[in-house]
Amino acid sequence: MTSFNSGPPQGFPNANMPVVPPGYSMGDLPEEPKKKKKRRKIKVQERALDISINSLLDILSVLLVFLMKSYSTTTVQIKPSKELQVPFSWASGMVEDTTSITITLKNILLDDKPIISFSDGKIPEQELSEGNLRIDKLFEKIQDEVSHLKKIEARNSRAKFRGIVTVIADRYVPFPLLAQVMYTAGQAEFGQFKFALIRTER
C-alpha cells in the first residue's frame, strides 16, 4: 500500500519558516516588526448630576414661617437682676425701638451702658446742676446719642428722630431721682417718655 506524507517533501522549505535567499544566513534576515496591540478605547459617558433642591427649599420655607411666628417683636430688652424690679401694670401699648434709660437704686444706664453710679437712689450734688435737676454725665451721653441719631436721619429719611425715650425704672426708685432723669433727657431733646412695665391682669 502506498502511503502519502501530508508534510512537505524533504528539503522543501517549511511554509512557516522564512525563505533565505542564496548567499544569506538566518542572522542576516531583518526582524519582522512586532504587531502593535490595539488598545481598546473605553468611552466613558459623563452624565451631569442634576440635583433637585425643590425639597430643600420647601423645608427652608417651613422653617422661615415657624421662626417668624415664634419671633418676638418686643424691641425693649430688660435684663433681670436683683437691682432692677420692673413695676407691674395692666396698661398696654405698642413697643417701639427707641433709646432706653435704665434706672436702679445704684446705677443709671443708657442703652445698657453704665453712665453713673451712686447709692441709696440719691445722686451726689457734685454730679448735678441747674438746681440739682440735671445729671451732667447723663446729659453729655444723651447729647452724643441725639447727635448720632440725627446723623442717621440725614442719611436715611425714614429713620426720623422723634425724641422718644423708653424709661426702664426699678419700682422702688424715688420720685426725685426719676424727675432728675426725665428733666435731663428733656434738656437733651428727648421730650417724649415711655415707661417699660410688666403687664398683668386686673
Side-chain angles (χ1 to χ4, degrees), residues 1-198:
M1 180 181 292
T2 305
S3 62
F4 295 94
N5 189 2
S6 59
Q10 189 174 3
F12 191 86
N14 191 346
N16 296 326
M17 295 180 60
V19 179
V20 181
Y24 289 90
S25 62
M26 289 292 293
D28 297 333
L29 293 178
E31 296 182 357
E32 293 184 0
K34 296 181 179 180
K35 295 183 180 180
K36 295 182 180 180
K37 296 182 179 180
K38 294 182 180 181
R39 297 180 180 177
R40 296 180 180 177
K41 295 182 180 180
I42 302 175
K43 295 182 179 180
V44 179
Q45 295 181 354
E46 297 180 357
R47 296 182 180 178
L49 296 177
D50 297 330
I51 301 176
S52 178
I53 61 173
N54 292 333
S55 301
L56 180 60
L57 290 177
D58 293 340
I59 295 173
L60 292 177
S61 300
V62 173
L63 289 176
L64 180 61
V65 173
F66 174 77
L67 292 175
M68 290 178 66
K69 287 186 176 181
S70 62
Y71 178 73
S72 175
T73 57
T74 302
T75 55
V76 176
Q77 296 182 357
I78 300 177
K79 296 181 180 179
S81 66
K82 295 181 180 179
E83 298 180 0
L84 180 61
Q85 299 182 30
V86 182
F88 294 92
S89 174
W90 58 78
S92 61
M94 295 297 296
V95 180
E96 299 183 33
D97 186 9
T98 63
T99 301
S100 63
I101 299 177
T102 304
I103 311 170
T104 69
L105 295 175
K106 295 182 179 180
N107 299 282
I108 294 178
L109 301 90
L110 181 65
D111 287 337
D112 293 335
K113 297 178 182 178
I115 304 299
I116 185 172
S117 299
F118 43 89
S119 59
D120 298 329
K122 187 176 181 179
I123 298 177
E125 292 185 1
Q126 61 267 23
E127 301 289 347
L128 302 171
S129 63
E130 297 186 9
N132 293 341
L133 288 175
R134 193 181 79 178
I135 307 170
D136 293 333
K137 288 184 178 179
L138 179 62
F139 178 74
E140 294 175 1
K141 295 298 182 181
I142 293 178
Q143 276 190 322
D144 294 340
E145 179 68 14
V146 169
S147 117
H148 175 67
L149 293 175
K150 287 186 175 181
K151 287 180 181 178
I152 295 176
E153 180 185 10
R155 296 180 180 179
N156 184 5
S157 59
R158 296 182 179 179
K160 293 183 178 181
F161 173 72
R162 296 179 296 167
I164 302 175
V165 62
T166 300
V167 179
I168 307 171
D170 185 87
R171 68 183 67 172
Y172 298 110
V173 166
F175 179 77
L177 176 58
L178 183 60
Q180 288 170 338
V181 172
M182 294 178 65
Y183 178 85
T184 303
Q187 293 296 306
E189 300 185 45
F190 277 116
Q192 301 183 47
F193 298 92
K194 291 193 173 186
F195 292 87
L197 306 168
I198 297 177

